[in-house]
Amino acid sequence: MKLQLTFLFCLIALNFILPQQKDTILYKWIPTAAAGLNINQIALSNWTSGGDNAISWTLSGILDLKYITEDWGFRNNLNLAYGKTKLGGANFITNDNNFYMETILSRKINWAVDPYISNTIRTPLAIGYDYRKNPVVPIANFFDPGYLTQSIGFIYNKVNGFTTRLGLAAQEVFTKKYSALYNIDPESGEVKNFRIEAGLESVSTTEFKIAENLLYKGNLQFFTRYKSLDVWDVRWDNAIIAKINDLLNINLTYLFIYEKAQSPTAQMKESLQLGFVYSIL
């Protein structure tokens, strides 16, 4: 009798324990957050070979919030970056200025791909200037321009560290003071404060280890309009992160942007920085 009661008690205990172990990531919010400071610095004293003192810094923040059930996946991602550079006795100038937020809701249907809907927001985080002109000229600010993109289609996320999606999309472009730079109707040439464009969107992300302490992250985005399917906006964001310890990283980043409405030629940004990273969650 005692053996039977012990066996029954074990069955009841396993009934509560096993589902919790199996579904530890289901039906709960899973947050991940980190803040970082990247620094480049050169100091010269009585240096006869030429050059000048320089310092560059970038503050960044990453927040990822997921909620997963047996049938649904809901993911939110927020990336913030703001930085400045100073050369010699000159004033600090902005070298990074980015706000990016993405929300994806997908439905699991046991296909190779799953249906999804998404919304992304892109905008400068603060005022930005054209430093090639003297005096400098402001050319951007928060939500000036601002880009909102909604899409619906299918997503492939069956491989760990890789996702790709393709869908029908609508993009809204918001401007205030700088409409003449970012919000000209391609057909009429009219300058507007608001413009909506319908087209196609493709987004692929990847993350994998090159070595034990070396990580690659990539994000490749395409957007085209139905009225001009031969012209694609391209944004390709790359980062190679070498982890020294829990607080120190070396970051090599490369950003490629082609958006004809902003510039007839491609835009590129590369940086190599020592980074201090603190995981909040």
Side-chain angles (χ1 to χ4, degrees):
M1 185 64 179
K2 290 182 179 180
L3 181 59
Q4 291 175 336
L5 289 175
T6 302
F7 181 72
L8 180 61
F9 175 81
C10 291
L11 287 178
I12 295 173
L14 288 173
N15 186 56
F16 285 96
I17 294 172
L18 290 179
Q20 293 175 3
Q21 292 177 336
K22 181 181 178 180
D23 300 330
T24 53
I25 65 171
L26 297 182
Y27 299 99
K28 62 173 63 177
W29 291 101
I30 304 174
T32 304
L37 171 63
N38 297 323
I39 298 176
N40 281 339
Q41 187 264 340
I42 298 175
L44 305 176
S45 177
N46 299 320
W47 193 252
T48 59
S49 299
D52 208 341
N53 298 337
I55 185 169
S56 174
W57 58 265
T58 302
L59 286 170
S60 63
I62 299 173
L63 173 63
D64 191 77
L65 186 63
K66 294 186 289 187
Y67 189 86
I68 301 172
T69 72
E70 293 178 349
D71 299 317
W72 295 90
F74 183 53
R75 180 185 176 187
N76 302 273
N77 180 264
L78 174 64
N79 285 273
L80 306 173
Y82 185 74
K84 286 183 174 291
T85 296
K86 179 180 174 66
L87 179 62
N91 295 325
F92 275 99
I93 63 175
T94 303
N95 64 11
D96 209 342
N97 188 15
N98 182 58
F99 177 102
Y100 180 86
M101 183 175 180
E102 179 182 63
T103 299
I104 303 172
L105 177 65
S106 60
R107 178 73 161 86
K108 300 175 185 178
I109 57 173
N110 296 321
W111 290 6
V113 293
D114 297 325
Y116 80 93
I117 57 174
S118 72
N119 181 71
T120 60
I121 303 173
R122 293 185 291 118
T123 177
L125 190 60
I127 191 168
Y129 297 89
D130 184 350
Y131 295 102
R132 295 170 296 180
K133 298 181 179 180
N134 190 14
V136 298
V137 177
I139 57 173
N141 207 338
F142 183 73
F143 243 73
D144 192 8
Y147 299 89
L148 267 68
T149 306
Q150 302 83 38
S151 66
I152 180 171
F154 288 94
I155 185 171
Y156 176 81
N157 55 5
K158 310 300 183 184
V159 178
N160 188 32
F162 174 77
T163 67
T164 185
R165 67 181 193 263
L166 176 66
L168 306 175
Q171 178 173 267
E172 298 85 38
V173 185
F174 297 84
T175 51
K176 298 175 185 176
K177 292 183 180 180
Y178 310 114
S179 300
L181 296 176
Y182 306 102
N183 223 348
I184 301 177
D185 190 293
E187 293 186 345
S188 65
E190 181 184 357
V191 177
K192 299 181 177 181
N193 292 331
F194 172 78
R195 180 163 47 97
I196 185 168
E197 304 167 320
L200 298 172
E201 181 193 48
S202 171
V203 180
S204 299
T205 63
T206 185
E207 179 177 326
F208 61 88
K209 281 188 175 183
I210 301 173
E212 183 62 29
N213 64 336
L214 201 60
L215 179 69
Y216 169 80
K217 291 184 177 182
N219 184 292
L220 179 61
Q221 303 178 19
F222 295 96
F223 178 81
T224 188
R225 301 146 188 86
Y226 292 132
K227 295 180 180 179
S228 54
L229 291 175
D230 59 329
V231 178
W232 290 78
D233 295 344
V234 182
R235 182 184 177 93
W236 187 26
D237 202 346
N238 301 268
I240 295 177
I241 304 166
K243 185 176 180 180
I244 300 175
N245 54 42
D246 291 339
L247 291 178
L248 290 176
N249 288 340
I250 295 176
N251 304 307
L252 173 63
T253 64
Y254 174 77
L255 176 61
F256 174 94
I257 297 176
Y258 176 74
E259 191 165 337
K260 191 175 181 180
Q262 293 186 5
S263 173
T265 57
Q267 306 172 59
M268 288 174 279
K269 183 179 72 172
E270 179 270 332
S271 67
L272 178 63
Q273 299 173 318
L274 173 66
F276 298 88
V277 180
Y278 179 72
S279 296
I280 302 171
L281 297 171

